[in-house]
């Protein structure tokens, strides 16, 4: 609906509600929630989308409980000025009654909100005083006069049991007449003005800080502090003393915490706290009393192509998720640690950020291997790397201890003029650029006329002075196109790509990268370029070194980049942020609001438990590219894009050979997660010996009418029968309705023998207790019976791995158990994405400890069974 509907329903000579006006520009999208005592009491929930507030009436208000889904009736759009409206709407007018502001702030979504709303599912984050964290709006399929949606909270660190009615301590109450007519809301406990802060397990960071070399006690205010800056280099330096990080493409931000409150500062000491409420809140959630942190504000991955998204997000033109990538820690809880070596400061920073949310990331690094890091950064779309001396203290200002190496030349320039537009372009033709020389004089550097979006053309044109003035820089006399140029003193800063510098000292093939609204021309006087003599000397040293750089060490396990070297020599990531993950906020399990990032975080945390189950085995995966609630599909063959996943060529029933998936390590696992894999189903054989089975799996699948206690009893009966054959067995929940009983086989044996044994064992059970078991897959015979599925024991057949998620409601997990604890388990899906991680943290040893050492020969079992038959 448009604002036309808003106007139609109101008489502005009788109501104080605002008439639609010109929307403000250049700010992030806002939200507002108002408590409205109209004919019925309800909350009005409004999100700025474009130039209007999309609006929903929520009768009971938002709930912090993810299990509570509140009806939200879509109503007409409201103007942005409505966000500040409070007071009485006259009775007899549309919506007559009292309106009070409940909460307001900015909001964000990873993606186009209009497109998400059109599809019927919007995931978003709120950064208010009362409403925080991630939420969902999902359109209901029920037919109604007005579109109905469901509003519910995502399971994150803010989730709890609070209701909107619990947070009314500072909300203006309605007149008694309105309260009697519309209702008074939830009675009971004392009202709060905002939710209590999320509980965070405190650690004595001061104790860790004072152990660092040079640490000293110091107080810290919340003001800006001086940052260490990098100098531009021709290439990365060599030596194990250098740490190499990705050059993030964003805005430098200093975060200062004093008294538990965070303030954010740009490199120019301009306060950005109000612009970045999610970052300030994330820093405060670390639970520090005082701190000084240094990082880069990014959108998306922070790669070169994401910088425009960052700018568009800050200006309100687009929606994007913002994060602060932190790479230095200078003060923590009363201790100044700036004198400690950078490598030790970063180690403490990494520990501090271990459980931080998505808005804070750790900038990982590699040690020594600068050339490889530089090459890999380029392959992944980053502009370059920053190399830092890991053995040095923090030194404010620019020096050679921090060096940046860029793949494509880019630099910052002051705009000192423009040429008139030609053709269809309006505003200007090219921007005329200058840079300061060693004496601080401005020197003409060339022009840039490409790379402008329509929005940037408008914003830059509005900054250009009108009329002509004298040249403010030295200009080449031979450039006839500059005769019509208009000049002015250095006005603002842009960043441009270029393909080198010509013999005349001018940029070659320059194109605009971005408008640097965070910098002023005076900032360019502190150039990041080394003096000419130093740059030449550096280049000469590298030429002398020749190909020796190729022998640099392999990147360490902290690398943020993936390598194409042999997997055996490849470093493994030390943090989830070390791995590329696209669309991290896409909801995968809509019933609980779990995102792709949540899935990746689960598999990263559980990798040490899951990998022994799947590594080195042919593997099938269940991929859910649209989430677990939509159709998923099995994949067993290797495909393009799975660079980190190995393969093995296996012959299929058709006689053709095909490349089957094989995971070798953590990178392979996470590569599949990036490709939306939710379930992992390994063969009961290794890729090295695919025709020799070393695991037998009996899947106890209960039909309709079978109680869980009967499934547990069946598993115990199988264990007893297998034990009588001198076969040890192990049990796990399937993550679905049933249980798996797993029998290790060593030495491994042929599939024909394994399948014959499994089939015969299942048929024996069904013959022995026909009212309890069935050994055929036909569903029409399975009511009140347990299907003993033996079909997972043939060549090419698979069963779900222990610790694998399932693509089902609630994100259940297949969990191995000790036989002794089976009686305490309530269902086959008793463990989910959260409780599974909590369980393994409590475990002192694997529930199946020793399974790989079990030696049981199926040949001898078959011989004993044959002897029994002959007797």
């Amino acid at each position: 609906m448009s604002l036309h509907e808003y106007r139609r329903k109101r008489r502005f000579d009788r109501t104080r509600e605002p008439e639609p006006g010109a929307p403000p520009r250049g700010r992030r999208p806002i939200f507002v929630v108002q408590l409205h005592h109209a004919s019925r009491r309800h909350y009005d929930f409004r999100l700025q989308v474009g130039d209007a507030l999309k609006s929903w009436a929520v009768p009971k208000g938002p709930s912090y409980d993810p299990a509570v889904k509140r009806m939200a009736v879509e109503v007409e759009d409201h103007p942005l000025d409505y966000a500040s409206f409070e007071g009485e709407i006259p009775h007899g007018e549309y919506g007559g009654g009292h309106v009070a502001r409940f909460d307001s702030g900015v909001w964000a979504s990873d993606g186009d909100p209009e497109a998400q709303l059109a599809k019927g599912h919007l995931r978003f984050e709120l950064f208010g005083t009362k409403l925080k964290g991630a939420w969902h709006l999902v359109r209901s399929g029920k037919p109604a006069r007005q579109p109905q949606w469901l509003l519910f909270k995502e399971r994150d660190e803010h989730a709890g049991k609070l209701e909107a009615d619990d947070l009314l301590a500072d909300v203006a109450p309605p007149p008694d007449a309105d309260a009697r007519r519309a209702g008074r809301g939830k009675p009971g406990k004392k009202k709060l003005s905002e939710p209590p802060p999320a509980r965070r397990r405190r650690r004595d960071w001061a104790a860790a800080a004072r152990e660092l070399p040079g640490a000293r006690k110091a107080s810290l205010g919340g003001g800006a502090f001086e940052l260490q800056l990098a100098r531009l280099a021709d290439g990365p330096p060599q030596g194990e003393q250098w740490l190499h990080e990705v050059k993030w493409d964003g805005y430098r931000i200093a975060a200062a915490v004093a008294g538990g409150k965070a303030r954010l500062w740009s490199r120019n000491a301009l306060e950005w706290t109000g612009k970045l409420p999610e970052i300030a809140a994330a820093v405060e959630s670390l639970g520090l009393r005082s701190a000084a942190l240094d990082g880069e504000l990014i959108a998306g991955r922070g790669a070169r192509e994401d910088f425009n998204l960052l700018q568009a997000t800050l200006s309100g033109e687009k929606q994007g998720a913002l994060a602060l990538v932190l790479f230095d820690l200078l003060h923590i809880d009363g201790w100044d640690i700036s004198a400690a070596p950078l490598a030790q400061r970063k180690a403490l920073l990494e520990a501090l950020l271990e459980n931080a949310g998505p808005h804070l990331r750790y900038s990982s690094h590699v040690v020594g291997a600068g050339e490889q890091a530089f090459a890999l950064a380029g392959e992944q779309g980053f502009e370059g790397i920053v190399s830092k001396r890991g053995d040095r203290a923090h030194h404010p200002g620019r020096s050679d201890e921090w060096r940046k190496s860029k793949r494509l030349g880019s630099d910052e320039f002051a705009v000192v003029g423009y040429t008139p537009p030609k053709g269809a372009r309006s505003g200007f033709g090219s921007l005329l650029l200058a840079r300061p020389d060693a004496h601080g004089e401005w020197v003409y550097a060339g022009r840039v006329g490409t790379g402008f979006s329509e929005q940037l053309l408008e914003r830059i044109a509005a900054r250009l002075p009108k009329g002509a003035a004298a040249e403010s820089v030295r200009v080449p006399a031979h450039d006839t196109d500059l005769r019509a140029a208009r000049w002015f003193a250095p006005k603002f800063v842009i960043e441009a790509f270029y393909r080198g510098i010509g013999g005349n000292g001018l940029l070659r093939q320059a194109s605009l990268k971005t408008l640097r609204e965070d910098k002023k021309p005076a900032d360019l006087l502190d150039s990041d370029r080394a003096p000419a003599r130093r740059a030449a000397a550096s280049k000469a040293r590298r030429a002398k070194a020749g190909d020796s750089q190729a022998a640099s060490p392999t990147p360490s396990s902290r690398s943020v980049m993936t390598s194409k070297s042999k997997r055996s020599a490849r470093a493994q990531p030390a943090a989830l942020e070390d791995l590329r993950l696209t669309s991290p906020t896409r909801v995968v399990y809509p019933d609980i609001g779990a995102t792709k990032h949540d899935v990746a975080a689960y598999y990263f945390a559980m990798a040490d438990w899951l990998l022994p189950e799947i590594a080195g085995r042919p593997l099938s995966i269940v991929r859910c590219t649209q989430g677990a609630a939509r159709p998923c599909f099995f994949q067993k063959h290797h495909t393009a894009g799975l660079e980190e996943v190995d393969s093995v060529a296996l012959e299929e029933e058709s006689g053709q050979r095909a490349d089957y998936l094989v995971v070798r390590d953590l990178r392979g696992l996470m590569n599949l997660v990036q490709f939306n894999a939710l379930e992992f189903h390994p063969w009961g054989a290794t890729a090295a010996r695919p025709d020799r089975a070393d695991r037998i799996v009996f899947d106890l699948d209960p039909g309709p009418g079978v109680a869980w206690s009967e499934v547990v009893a069946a598993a115990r009966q199988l264990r007893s029968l297998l034990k009588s054959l001198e076969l040890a067995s192990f049990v796990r929940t399937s993550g679905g309705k049933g249980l798996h009983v797993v029998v290790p086989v060593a030495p491994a044996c042929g599939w024909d023998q394994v399948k014959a044994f499994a089939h015969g064992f299942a048929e024996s059970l069904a013959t022995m207790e026909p009212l309890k078991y069935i050994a055929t897959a036909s569903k029409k015979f399975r009511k009140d019976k347990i299907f003993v599925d033996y079909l997972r024991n043939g060549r090419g057949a698979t069963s779900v791995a222990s610790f694998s998620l399932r693509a089902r409601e609630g994100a259940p997990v297949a969990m191995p158990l000790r036989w002794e604890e089976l009686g305490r388990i309530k269902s086959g899906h008793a463990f989910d994405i959260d409780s599974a991680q909590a369980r393994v943290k409590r475990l002192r040893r694997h529930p199946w400890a020793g399974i790989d050492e079990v030696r049981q020969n199926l040949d001898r079992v078959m011989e004993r069974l044959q002897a029994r038959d002959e007797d």
Side-chain angles (χ1 to χ4, degrees):
M1 291 176 279
S2 68
L3 294 179
H4 170 78
E5 187 71 7
Y6 172 87
R7 289 179 180 275
R8 187 185 68 79
K9 291 184 174 181
R10 288 162 178 82
R11 295 179 290 183
F12 295 105
D13 58 340
R14 300 188 184 184
T15 178
R16 294 192 300 107
E17 294 168 280
E19 287 192 73
R25 301 286 182 179
R27 70 180 192 185
R28 297 183 65 184
I30 62 170
F31 83 91
V32 65
V33 179
Q34 292 155 317
L35 180 57
H36 191 176
H37 284 76
S39 58
R40 294 183 180 179
R41 180 182 184 273
H42 65 274
Y43 289 80
D44 287 319
F45 188 86
R46 312 189 196 280
L47 301 173
Q48 179 186 349
V49 179
D51 293 339
L53 292 170
K54 290 287 182 185
S55 300
W56 292 263
V58 186
K60 294 184 179 181
S63 171
Y64 266 92
D65 187 348
V68 176
K69 295 177 172 60
R70 288 283 154 77
M71 183 177 71
V73 179
E74 187 175 350
V75 297
E76 75 273 16
D77 292 357
H78 285 52
L80 296 182
D81 288 343
Y82 208 96
S84 59
F85 176 73
E86 288 187 288
E88 198 77 10
I89 300 174
H91 293 286
E93 296 302 307
Y94 176 78
H98 187 262
V99 176
R101 185 156 51 179
F102 173 77
D103 197 20
S104 62
V106 302
W107 72 282
S109 178
D110 191 10
D112 182 356
E114 293 189 53
Q116 293 181 66
L117 288 169
K119 289 183 178 179
H121 184 185
L122 174 66
R123 182 197 180 274
F124 56 97
E125 290 185 84
L126 299 178
F127 310 112
T129 302
K130 302 179 190 297
L131 300 179
K132 306 173 187 290
W135 301 73
H136 296 266
L137 271 167
V138 178
R139 189 190 299 125
S140 169
K142 297 179 180 178
R145 185 171 59 88
Q146 293 174 284
Q148 294 187 5
W149 299 67
L150 296 175
L151 172 67
F152 59 94
K153 186 76 182 71
E154 185 170 301
R155 292 185 187 275
D156 59 18
E157 68 272 19
H158 299 288
K161 296 297 182 182
L162 281 177
E163 302 288 342
D165 282 357
D166 298 327
L167 300 170
L168 297 177
D170 58 350
V171 177
D176 283 341
D178 285 346
R180 286 195 299 271
R181 182 192 72 254
R184 298 184 183 274
K186 180 182 176 182
K189 57 187 178 183
K190 181 180 178 181
K191 304 299 182 185
L192 305 172
S193 58
E194 61 182 89
R199 291 185 179 181
R200 181 178 174 89
R201 189 175 180 180
R202 280 199 58 82
R203 176 174 166 182
D204 190 354
W205 296 110
R210 63 173 169 259
E211 297 298 322
L212 298 185
R216 61 183 182 87
K217 287 201 68 123
S219 59
L220 182 72
F225 51 89
E226 196 172 359
L227 304 174
Q228 186 160 350
L229 305 175
R231 198 180 297 283
L232 188 64
D234 291 336
Q238 290 182 290
E240 291 295 312
Q241 71 273 33
W242 289 96
L243 310 181
H244 306 282
E245 301 174 357
V246 158
K247 184 184 182 300
W248 305 101
D249 225 339
Y251 289 130
R252 190 78 173 269
I253 294 292
V257 179
K261 292 295 181 182
R263 298 176 73 184
L264 307 177
W265 302 91
S266 74
R267 186 189 142 190
N268 293 324
L270 300 176
E271 186 163 6
W272 280 38
T273 311
K275 287 185 179 182
L276 306 171
E278 66 267 56
I279 305 299
V283 172
E284 289 175 1
S285 73
L286 296 174
L288 301 174
R289 296 183 297 276
S290 62
L293 302 115
D294 186 6
E296 189 93 354
L297 180 72
I298 66 168
R301 292 193 303 127
R304 192 168 54 220
E305 73 272 11
D306 295 318
F307 189 87
N308 288 337
L309 174 62
L310 172 62
Q311 286 195 318
T313 299
L314 293 174
S315 66
E317 296 171 13
K318 291 183 179 180
Q319 282 278 20
L322 302 182
L324 182 62
V325 184
L326 292 165
F327 43 71
D328 207 352
L329 175 63
L330 305 174
H331 177 107
I332 185 167
D333 278 353
W335 286 84
D336 181 344
I337 60 172
S338 61
L342 173 63
Q344 295 189 38
R345 301 198 307 270
K346 287 200 68 178
L348 185 56
L349 174 63
E350 184 177 19
L352 174 67
L353 298 178
E354 182 178 0
N355 295 313
H359 296 294
L360 295 180
R361 302 183 195 172
Y362 174 70
S363 182
S364 57
H365 60 261
V366 298
V367 178
E371 288 293 335
Q372 286 138 301
F374 184 59
L376 292 168
E379 290 174 12
Q380 291 198 354
F382 292 95
E383 188 179 5
I385 62 173
V386 179
S387 305
K388 304 175 181 180
R389 283 292 295 261
D391 56 345
R392 297 293 173 84
H394 176 266
H395 295 297
R398 201 178 299 282
S399 75
D400 280 332
E401 291 186 359
W402 285 19
R403 304 180 192 177
K404 55 186 175 185
S405 307
K406 300 181 181 180
R407 292 195 63 79
L408 179 62
S410 76
D411 207 349
E412 293 156 358
F413 303 90
V415 177
V416 294
Y418 64 96
T419 60
K422 296 180 180 179
R425 177 175 285 188
S426 61
F428 62 91
S430 297
L431 296 178
L432 307 179
L433 310 177
R435 57 162 40 123
D437 64 12
H439 305 289
E441 298 292 329
W442 291 102
V443 179
Y444 179 65
R447 69 179 76 186
V448 60
T450 62
F452 298 90
S453 66
E454 290 186 11
Q455 292 87 352
L456 269 178
L457 279 170
E458 292 179 5
R459 285 163 57 193
I460 291 175
R463 290 171 172 254
L464 299 176
K466 306 306 177 187
E471 296 168 1
S472 57
V473 296
R474 300 193 297 271
V475 180
H478 63 273
D479 195 335
T480 56
D481 285 348
L482 296 181
R483 293 174 183 172
R486 300 176 185 180
W487 300 92
F488 43 81
K491 183 75 175 173
F492 53 92
V493 177
I494 63 97
E495 187 170 356
F497 295 116
Y498 56 91
R499 298 283 181 182
I501 297 176
N504 55 5
L506 303 183
L507 303 177
R508 294 176 54 230
Q509 301 179 32
S511 64
L512 184 79
K513 176 184 175 183
T514 187
L515 173 66
R516 296 298 312 213
E517 296 180 290
D518 58 327
K519 294 189 177 181
K520 299 175 294 202
D523 294 327
L524 303 187
L525 296 173
D526 177 20
S527 175
D528 62 6
R529 293 185 175 273
R533 288 190 303 274
R534 184 179 302 167
S538 173
K539 188 172 183 179
R541 282 195 302 272
R542 282 197 311 279
K544 185 177 180 181
D547 294 336
S548 63
Q549 294 180 5
S552 297
T554 303
S556 77
S557 62
R558 290 183 179 178
S559 172
V560 75
M561 296 152 287
T562 58
S563 169
K564 291 184 178 178
S565 60
K566 291 183 179 180
R567 291 181 174 84
S568 60
R570 183 185 51 200
Q572 295 302 299
L576 180 60
E577 287 71 23
D578 292 351
L579 298 158
R580 179 177 179 180
L581 188 70
T582 58
S583 304
T585 57
R586 183 170 57 79
V587 176
V588 176
Y589 291 96
D591 58 312
I592 61 171
T595 64
K596 183 175 180 180
H597 182 275
D598 296 328
V599 171
Y602 170 83
Y603 277 121
F604 192 90
M606 301 289 279
D608 287 345
W609 301 83
L610 174 65
L611 279 172
E613 297 287 317
I614 65 173
R617 295 177 180 270
L619 187 68
S620 293
I621 58 173
V622 175
R623 288 180 59 191
C624 300
T625 56
Q626 302 177 70
R630 303 293 295 274
C632 302
F633 59 92
F634 264 95
Q635 178 177 333
K636 59 185 179 181
H637 295 152
H638 201 279
T639 56
L642 298 176
E643 288 89 356
E644 307 297 338
V645 182
D646 206 349
S647 64
V648 59
L650 298 176
E651 186 175 313
E652 299 186 304
E653 290 183 2
S654 63
Q656 300 290 325
R657 295 182 71 82
D659 289 334
Y660 278 67
L661 299 170
V662 180
V663 164
R664 302 290 185 188
D665 53 20
L666 176 58
R667 284 195 180 277
L669 169 64
M670 299 310 294
N671 196 183
L672 291 175
V673 173
Q674 157 63 11
F675 270 66
N676 305 298
L678 287 188
E679 297 187 10
F680 294 86
H681 295 249
W683 282 31
T686 65
R689 303 184 70 193
D691 295 319
R692 306 291 292 179
D694 60 4
R695 293 276 175 98
I696 301 173
V697 179
F698 294 101
D699 181 2
L700 300 180
D701 186 5
V706 177
W708 173 249
S709 59
E710 296 178 60
V711 182
V712 171
R716 287 171 172 162
Q717 186 176 8
L718 257 71
R719 182 196 187 195
S720 177
L721 291 172
L722 290 166
K723 193 173 183 180
S724 71
L725 298 174
E726 300 182 17
L727 290 174
S729 59
F730 299 79
V731 66
R732 70 172 165 233
T733 62
S734 66
K737 296 182 295 181
L739 292 167
H740 290 175
V741 176
V742 180
V743 180
V745 179
C749 55
W751 283 112
D752 290 343
Q753 185 178 14
V754 165
K755 188 172 183 179
F757 170 76
H759 188 186
F761 190 86
E763 289 285 0
S764 297
L765 274 172
T767 302
M768 184 171 57
E769 296 195 45
L771 298 180
K772 185 175 182 179
Y773 298 114
I774 188 172
T776 60
S778 178
K779 291 187 176 181
K780 65 181 180 180
F781 300 122
R782 290 171 58 181
K783 189 176 185 302
D784 299 325
K785 295 181 182 180
I786 297 172
F787 171 39
V788 183
D789 186 355
Y790 63 90
L791 299 173
R792 311 200 176 262
N793 301 293
R795 188 181 186 280
T798 62
S799 58
V800 71
S802 298
F803 307 107
S804 172
L805 289 167
R806 305 304 304 268
R808 303 178 183 185
E809 285 190 0
V813 171
M815 178 60 67
L817 307 170
R818 290 179 290 108
W819 279 107
E820 296 76 23
E821 62 183 332
L822 179 57
R824 300 194 296 271
I825 304 302
K826 304 301 181 184
S827 71
H829 51 269
F831 298 94
D832 60 21
I833 192 170
D834 296 320
S835 61
Q837 295 180 73
R839 168 178 163 80
V840 299
K841 287 179 181 178
R842 296 192 301 268
L843 290 176
R844 295 184 179 180
R845 58 187 306 204
H846 196 295
W848 290 2
I851 188 172
D852 291 329
E853 283 72 49
V854 173
R855 314 299 294 178
Q856 43 195 19
N857 193 322
L858 196 59
D859 288 333
R860 295 176 184 171
V861 173
M862 298 296 283
E863 288 172 4
R864 285 195 295 271
L865 289 174
Q866 186 175 1
R868 287 184 190 178
D869 292 341
E870 292 173 354
D871 291 343

